[in-house]
Amino acid sequence: MTFWSRLPIAATLVTFVAVVIMFALGFWQLQRAAEKTQRLESMQQAAQSNTLNLSQASNMAEQALDMSVSLQGTIDTTHYFLLDNKIQQGRVGYEVLATVNTLQGNVLVNFGWLAAPALRSELPVVTLPSEPQQFRGMLSIPKHNSLITETAVYDQQWPKVLQQADLVIMTQHYAQPLLPFIILLDEEQNSGYIRNWQAVVMAPEKHLGYAIQWFLLGGAAFIIFIIAQRKKLKRELE
């Protein structure tokens, strides 16, 4: 009998499945690294583009992702959203999103981060100007995460505390049409909130590092299994 035919079926299957999973995770990390690299390149190109007005941004839709957008309008100060569980320098807080009413339509603007009160049952005091203003920021199209369960109730109580920026849900709460993107307000525009936008949280290099780790773990698991089985068969034949 050959060495391969003497391998125990159960242990071999478990090792095979484990190695396949680890290599699959390695290839997935490589894919994520490529996606992050492409996104960073897209952001660099967008940063070099001219500032769009709201009409241009609406016509371009996803092609305007990460581009600078300028608009003028009035904030709906009575209906705004608080994105929950946002962290800044170890502190828990909310991101404040309010609708700006413009001639081109209603658009959500993310004004930035605000610290949460000491008690979870309390909400932060949000101050927004009621007079017409000029706004400038970066166009963002948030992705829906199906793993996050939304808890906000559809009623007339405001503000709405949301778990993620889901434009479909936010439109339903607002009960009026919203443009299909969000404007992340520029950091230099004074609003009293902290803005540290990170479109790419984990750098491509980190994904590459994780990929190498998974490949090494998969290879090590295979080698250790073969060595252990060779020693076991050798003892049985002695």
Side-chain angles (χ1 to χ4, degrees):
M1 296 178 67
T2 64
F3 167 75
W4 298 105
S5 63
R6 290 174 176 269
L7 293 176
I9 296 177
T12 302
L13 284 176
V14 170
T15 303
F16 175 77
V17 170
V19 171
V20 168
I21 290 174
M22 285 186 274
F23 270 81
L25 289 170
F27 284 115
W28 177 72
Q29 289 290 349
L30 289 178
Q31 181 182 355
R32 293 293 291 155
E35 291 173 354
K36 295 293 182 66
T37 300
Q38 185 178 9
R39 181 68 194 281
L40 289 173
E41 291 175 352
S42 175
M43 291 176 64
Q44 287 182 340
Q45 293 176 356
Q48 297 171 358
S49 303
N50 295 328
T51 300
L52 305 175
N53 58 44
L54 201 54
S55 295
Q56 292 171 325
S58 300
N59 293 332
M60 293 178 65
E62 292 188 4
Q63 294 178 339
L65 181 65
D66 299 322
M67 289 187 178
S68 178
V69 179
S70 177
L71 61 135
Q72 185 171 5
T74 305
I75 304 172
D76 185 345
T77 58
T78 58
H79 301 86
Y80 59 89
F81 301 92
L82 298 174
L83 288 189
D84 203 359
N85 297 315
K86 298 299 181 180
I87 310 297
Q88 283 286 345
Q89 298 182 344
R91 298 182 63 191
V92 179
Y94 302 88
E95 287 183 5
V96 180
L97 281 81
T99 305
V100 175
N101 306 128
T102 75
L103 295 176
Q104 293 76 32
N106 304 319
V107 61
L108 283 166
V109 174
N110 191 329
F111 285 82
W113 182 87
L114 187 63
L119 296 177
R120 179 66 180 174
S121 58
E122 298 179 358
L123 294 178
V125 177
V126 174
T127 303
L128 296 169
S130 57
E131 64 274 6
Q133 292 206 5
Q134 188 78 23
F135 302 93
R136 178 171 172 163
M138 182 174 64
L139 188 143
S140 170
I141 302 176
K143 295 182 179 180
H144 172 72
N145 187 343
S146 58
L147 299 177
I148 297 178
T149 303
E150 193 51 71
T151 57
V153 178
Y154 290 98
D155 56 24
Q156 301 303 313
Q157 301 296 318
W158 290 85
K160 295 293 182 186
V161 179
L162 302 181
Q163 305 307 309
Q164 64 174 324
D166 187 321
L167 284 167
V168 174
I169 291 177
M170 298 171 91
T171 301
Q172 292 172 351
H173 280 295
Y174 194 61
Q176 292 185 45
L178 295 172
L179 294 177
F181 48 79
I182 293 174
I183 303 299
L184 307 179
L185 202 63
D186 280 353
E187 295 182 11
E188 59 267 19
Q189 186 159 346
N190 184 28
S191 72
Y193 304 103
I194 296 175
R195 293 183 291 278
N196 183 23
W197 311 124
Q198 290 182 305
V200 176
V201 178
M202 187 182 295
E205 294 77 15
K206 206 160 189 177
H207 286 288
L208 288 174
Y210 285 140
I212 292 172
Q213 289 179 14
W214 283 119
F215 290 141
L216 291 176
L217 285 172
F222 177 76
I223 293 171
I224 291 171
F225 173 75
I226 296 299
I227 293 174
Q229 293 304 316
R230 281 188 179 277
K231 290 183 177 179
K232 179 181 178 183
L233 290 175
K234 186 177 180 181
R235 288 195 301 267
E236 292 176 352
L237 293 173
E238 289 178 351

